[in-house]
Amino acid sequence: MDPNAISPNLDSGIKDDGQAMLASSPIPRTVVPFSGYSPGTIVISTKEKRLYLVQDDGTALRYGIGVGKQGFTWKGTETISRKAEWPSWTPPKEMIARRPELPDRMEGGLNNPLGARALYLGSTLYRIHGTNEPNTIGRAVSSGCIRMANPDVMDLYQRVGVGTTVVVL
């Protein structure tokens, strides 16, 4: 077993937006100059470990993210196919094969690895989601999903809708 692997607390915990807002990102959200994509597009730079939400005025909101660890990175264009508040988590069979101690399913809550919100990407297994471990922001630690601190994913969640284009570089 990977000594750096993160084992979720099997008690999903409460669903509390106020508590979730306390887990700030180690990488502050900022507004930066940005061009080359249509307003409303989400652009994810896995190399930079940053997510950009393109605005109308030649800027983007820049958020810190956690990305896939080596061997779990991917690139491409997807659309947000579904949004969920306090999502439940069902680890894919591939993850359970690597980490048999994981639960078959976990209800949403503060201890759930998907955090306070999830944005599902097309028909893939990947999501942009919150995390119960904000210290992983800025690092390559996931199985391919894009992690955000709960306050940041909650902010992004209210700004975008189903059908939003997501470009992963």
Side-chain angles (χ1 to χ4, degrees):
M1 185 161 127
D2 178 356
N4 297 318
I6 299 162
S7 294
N9 178 336
L10 297 182
D11 171 9
S12 63
I14 59 171
K15 298 176 184 179
D16 183 332
D17 284 358
Q19 286 283 26
M21 290 299 287
L22 298 176
S24 65
S25 173
I27 300 169
R29 179 175 49 218
T30 59
V31 176
V32 297
F34 201 85
S35 62
Y37 294 90
S38 299
T41 302
I42 294 173
V43 180
I44 296 171
S45 172
T46 57
K47 181 179 177 182
E48 293 178 47
K49 297 175 188 67
R50 301 294 187 275
L51 180 151
Y52 298 88
L53 176 58
V54 182
Q55 304 295 292
D56 292 328
D57 61 356
T59 66
L61 288 173
R62 181 175 64 188
Y63 303 83
I65 58 173
V67 299
K69 58 189 168 186
Q70 188 171 356
F72 292 90
T73 59
W74 61 281
K75 296 175 193 267
T77 301
E78 290 291 339
T79 58
I80 295 174
S81 55
R82 182 166 85 88
K83 294 170 51 172
E85 295 186 18
W86 297 106
S88 61
W89 178 54
T90 303
K93 63 181 187 251
E94 300 85 358
M95 186 179 286
I96 290 178
R98 291 190 310 272
R99 308 253 324 268
E101 78 280 6
L102 292 175
D104 292 334
R105 186 172 191 286
M106 180 184 269
E107 290 302 316
L110 286 169
N111 296 328
N112 181 309
L114 296 185
R117 305 287 186 271
L119 306 167
Y120 294 77
L121 301 177
S123 60
T124 72
L125 295 175
Y126 303 118
R127 295 170 292 272
I128 299 168
H129 63 79
T131 181
N132 58 6
E133 298 172 321
N135 61 315
T136 63
I137 304 305
R139 298 175 46 202
V141 295
S142 79
S143 293
C145 285
I146 306 302
R147 294 180 178 189
M148 300 178 79
N150 279 326
D152 287 342
V153 79
M154 292 166 74
D155 181 76
L156 181 66
Y157 182 96
Q158 59 92 22
R159 292 176 185 272
V160 301
V162 170
T164 297
T165 300
V166 179
V167 179
V168 180
L169 307 172

